[in-house]
Amino acid sequence: MDTQLTVIAYTVYLPLAIGLTLYVAHTLFKNGRVFMMDIFNGKEEIALATNRLFEVGFYLLNIGFALLILEITSNPNNAQETIETLSYKLGGFAIYLGIMLFLNLYLFFRGKTKSRENRKRNELLHMHQPNNG
Amino acid sequence: MTFNTAGYIIFGFLVYFITFHVGLVFYRNGKVYMQQLFNDDLHLVDAINNVLLVGYYLLNLGFTTLSIVYWPSIESLSELVECVAHNAGIMILTLGAMHYVNMFGLLMYSYVQHKNKNQQTFN
């Protein structure tokens, strides 16, 4: 009787946590393709491959984390306690996902800035070579 | 059909999926990534890629077969969910962390290679 509520909480938590991860990852890396194309100077194949690699890494990291924090130790006795436990767990996980999202976004921006610096440096190098073109 | 058996089967399916399908995604996309890093040196890329794939398989299979030995006796459905989720979570998280470490390790290795190559042309 007591563990039934816990199992119900698990069946609510799992699809929501994993679904949230998939949604965040899909959005982040669908829109991150633009950054990747910029970093790799329009080379589509390498940009998409790197994007996919980071995306699957993101999935692994976050789904693993969601599974690790799954265990409910508060032993809820009624619906109210179940909902409170669930909202505590899901809320914490959502905040963690937000932090991961911003971290990845920061990495995208850093890559973009670095690639722009590299391009400017290459342009200057080519300008000083007289036997070009 | 005890809880433990059901847990082993579910865990087995998860491990199969992660080992083969995710491994294939890493293999295919990693090839393109490394070609870019190592300037299309296909010998090097294939060598690193295959070694990484075999290492990945070994790690997966090794961890799962080892962890199954230490599973406690599962008495209820909630314990089953917790046990499978805990073990799967450890495996998935470790793989994700190792994946990022690998990617940046390859990046560092390619920087070192480019630096050596540039130094050679100056000499």
Side-chain angles (χ1 to χ4, degrees):
Chain A
M1 281 40 66
D2 279 329
T3 58
Q4 273 294 71
L5 278 179
T6 321
V7 176
I8 294 177
Y10 289 153
T11 53
V12 172
Y13 172 81
L14 269 180
L16 279 180
I18 295 183
L20 199 61
T21 308
L22 294 183
Y23 172 67
V24 169
H26 183 70
T27 308
L28 176 65
F29 290 99
K30 189 168 87 153
N31 292 293
R33 276 187 220 156
V34 180
F35 286 99
M36 284 297 183
M37 294 288 264
D38 197 65
I39 293 174
F40 289 105
N41 280 333
K43 280 180 278 186
E44 193 174 338
E45 202 190 358
I46 176 69
L48 286 182
T50 313
N51 201 29
R52 188 85 179 122
L53 280 177
F54 277 120
E55 188 179 350
V56 178
F58 188 83
Y59 281 143
L60 285 181
L61 213 59
N62 292 309
I63 291 183
F65 187 76
L67 287 177
L68 271 182
I69 67 172
L70 171 121
E71 185 165 351
I72 293 180
T73 54
S74 66
N75 223 338
N77 295 317
N78 49 34
Q80 176 184 340
E81 288 179 17
T82 316
I83 295 179
E84 284 164 4
T85 312
L86 262 180
S87 74
Y88 182 76
K89 269 214 194 308
L90 280 173
F93 184 66
I95 292 176
Y96 159 81
L97 266 187
I99 295 176
M100 293 301 283
L101 175 84
F102 282 117
L103 190 70
N104 273 286
L105 208 58
Y106 169 72
L107 290 175
F108 275 141
F109 271 120
R110 234 181 72 143
K112 188 167 187 292
T113 319
K114 270 212 170 147
S115 83
R116 192 165 8 123
E117 282 171 15
N118 279 342
R119 233 176 311 175
K120 282 220 173 101
R121 196 173 342 135
N122 287 339
E123 271 176 32
L124 288 173
L125 280 175
H126 286 307
M127 265 167 53
H128 284 299
Q129 284 175 7
N131 50 352
N132 229 13
Chain B
M1 170 76 78
T2 59
F3 279 124
N4 276 77
T5 321
Y8 297 153
I9 293 177
I10 299 175
F11 193 54
F13 271 124
L14 273 173
V15 169
Y16 164 76
F17 176 75
I18 290 180
T19 308
F20 289 112
H21 291 269
V22 175
L24 201 59
V25 172
F26 283 161
Y27 186 76
R28 280 200 228 119
N29 290 291
K31 195 174 219 179
V32 184
Y33 177 71
M34 281 194 275
Q35 270 179 334
Q36 153 79 9
L37 280 185
F38 297 116
N39 279 333
D40 288 323
D41 185 358
L42 273 180
H43 276 296
L44 183 64
V45 166
D46 276 337
I48 297 181
N49 218 12
N50 286 327
V51 169
L52 277 178
L53 189 67
V54 172
Y56 182 77
Y57 284 165
L58 283 177
L59 202 74
N60 267 292
L61 295 178
F63 174 80
T64 51
T65 49
L66 200 61
S67 80
I68 279 187
V69 174
Y70 291 106
W71 278 28
S73 180
I74 301 176
E75 324 257 280
S76 69
L77 190 57
S78 75
E79 223 181 295
L80 175 69
V81 177
E82 283 160 17
C83 194
V84 172
H86 184 74
N87 284 75
I90 293 179
M91 180 178 77
I92 295 176
L93 189 63
T94 314
L95 285 178
M98 263 187 48
H99 171 67
Y100 279 114
V101 168
N102 279 338
M103 283 193 73
F104 286 115
L106 283 173
L107 197 67
M108 293 298 121
Y109 180 59
S110 79
Y111 284 168
V112 168
Q113 262 218 334
H114 281 176
K115 206 171 72 163
N116 285 341
K117 230 180 272 185
N118 285 340
Q119 279 179 349
Q120 276 174 9
T121 54
F122 279 143
N123 293 340

